[in-house]
Amino acid sequence: MSEDENGIKEYFPMIVMAGFILVIQIIALTLAQPMNDLGMQAVDNPQSATNSIYYIIAILIFTLFLLFAIKKEIQWVIQMIILVAVASTMYYGFYPLFHLTGLGGEGPVIGGLLMATVFTILLYFHPEWYIIDFVGIIVGAAASSIFGISFGILPAIVLLGLLAAYDAISVYKTKHMIALAEGVMDLKLPILFVIPKKRNYSFIEDTPSTEGEKEAFYMGLGDAIMPTIIVVSANVFLPHEGFIGVPAIGAMIGTLIGFFALTILVMKGKPQAGLPFLNSGAILGYVAGALIAGMPLLG
């Protein structure tokens, strides 16, 4: 195999992962308006920046709980909590999708519950990489859409900035995010995306690690969700014509630029904090899009 072919093979998983981010953003944008119409906002006042502070505090508390559970070797508790959270988020994703099909009455509720139940059962009994990736796309799109319609432009920027700083500190300084990743990866949950490096790869049989040679490429689900928040927020809270506005397009392009910058470092074999690259790319892309469109930066 030539050097060029080796290079393409090595970077192919990264290209697929960028595609996952793009798909999540498109689905999230599709879900945003029906979610907004159905009153699915997570907060009462989307323009309050204090919502961002509350969310960061909630993340810190949940992280401490996860680290405690890992230390006490009660990973089954983590598994149950995350499975319930995943099932709930899938329901909130499928529910507006069924609304878009024109189903009336209790159809969207029944359809959402059925789909969420089926995929949660599949996750529990057969957590293979393709199931985890599919569920990750649905969960990622639903979560980022809900947060996007719940955080106005300023709260979204504050949230992404704080998350980027927290991610950098937890990976490079305290390193507890690496310990957390190692503690939960064996649970085979849809908290990450998995792209195999070979055809016969099995995530069920694999023992993922943040060190050493890997048989697949992994990316945390949050790395796709967080920058998508401002994509959705820009599209919901700023006026535009058609499916998507220029500021949201700018945020999407900025996310992908940040992702490929991150990819260059990841390919060198060291764990990297993803959100400083992805969130800053999304924010700068949004700013560029808003300036191009002649819109005020904060809506």
Side-chain angles (χ1 to χ4, degrees):
M1 186 177 290
S2 69
E3 186 175 336
D4 288 342
E5 288 175 330
N6 276 326
I8 293 173
K9 183 179 179 181
E10 191 70 19
Y11 278 91
F12 179 73
M14 304 292 190
I15 296 172
V16 174
M17 205 63 71
F20 280 1
I21 293 175
L22 188 59
V23 168
I24 284 174
Q25 292 183 336
I26 293 173
I27 297 175
L29 288 169
T30 303
L31 291 173
Q33 194 55 55
M35 280 185 169
N36 210 24
D37 294 341
L38 292 167
M40 296 176 66
Q41 296 89 345
V43 298
D44 292 329
N45 182 11
Q47 301 302 334
S48 175
T50 57
N51 295 328
S52 305
I53 306 298
Y54 295 147
Y55 184 68
I56 291 294
I57 292 173
I59 288 178
L60 291 173
I61 293 173
F62 187 60
T63 300
L64 288 173
F65 168 76
L66 292 179
L67 291 170
F68 173 79
I70 291 170
K71 184 177 181 180
K72 296 298 182 180
E73 298 184 350
I74 51 173
Q75 279 89 341
W76 65 269
V77 175
I78 299 175
Q79 186 177 37
M80 290 300 103
I81 291 175
I82 292 180
L83 280 175
V84 170
V86 165
S88 301
T89 308
M90 277 196 290
Y91 167 76
Y92 288 122
F94 284 118
Y95 174 63
L97 281 178
F98 280 111
H99 259 284
L100 286 175
T101 66
L103 277 179
E106 297 299 316
V109 174
I110 295 172
L113 287 173
L114 180 61
M115 296 296 286
T117 301
V118 168
F119 281 105
T120 302
I121 292 172
L122 279 174
L123 273 175
Y124 185 78
F125 289 103
H126 190 70
E128 197 48 271
W129 63 268
Y130 43 84
I131 295 176
I132 284 180
D133 286 349
F134 177 80
V135 171
I137 289 173
I138 299 301
V139 169
S144 53
S145 191
I146 291 173
F147 284 119
I149 66 175
S150 302
F151 287 82
I153 302 298
L154 177 59
I157 291 175
V158 171
L159 177 65
L160 266 61
L162 291 174
L163 285 171
Y166 169 70
D167 197 29
I169 293 170
S170 63
V171 171
Y172 303 129
K173 186 70 174 177
T174 66
K175 301 187 184 300
H176 71 265
M177 191 59 70
I178 297 175
L180 182 62
E182 291 177 340
V184 300
M185 284 177 80
D186 286 340
L187 298 179
K188 314 296 184 186
L189 295 168
I191 56 175
L192 44 75
F193 289 108
V194 184
I195 300 297
K197 292 182 178 180
K198 55 185 182 180
R199 291 183 180 180
N200 61 347
Y201 171 80
S202 173
F203 186 60
I204 296 175
E205 298 175 2
D206 191 12
T207 54
S209 172
T210 57
E211 301 292 339
E213 184 67 24
K214 303 175 182 66
E215 296 185 0
F217 175 71
Y218 311 105
M219 183 180 75
L221 188 57
D223 289 343
I225 293 174
M226 300 311 170
T228 304
I229 292 174
I230 196 167
V231 173
V232 174
S233 179
N235 216 46
V236 169
F237 293 100
L238 293 179
H240 62 87
E241 294 182 3
F243 177 71
I244 185 172
V246 175
I249 293 175
M252 293 177 73
I253 294 173
T255 301
L256 293 178
I257 292 174
F259 174 79
F260 285 116
L262 171 65
T263 294
I264 294 173
L265 295 178
V266 169
M267 292 304 292
K268 294 180 179 180
K270 293 184 179 180
Q272 298 290 331
L275 294 186
F277 295 88
L278 296 160
N279 287 4
S280 60
I283 292 172
L284 291 174
Y286 159 75
V287 170
L291 291 175
I292 291 171
M295 294 182 177
L297 293 181
L298 300 181

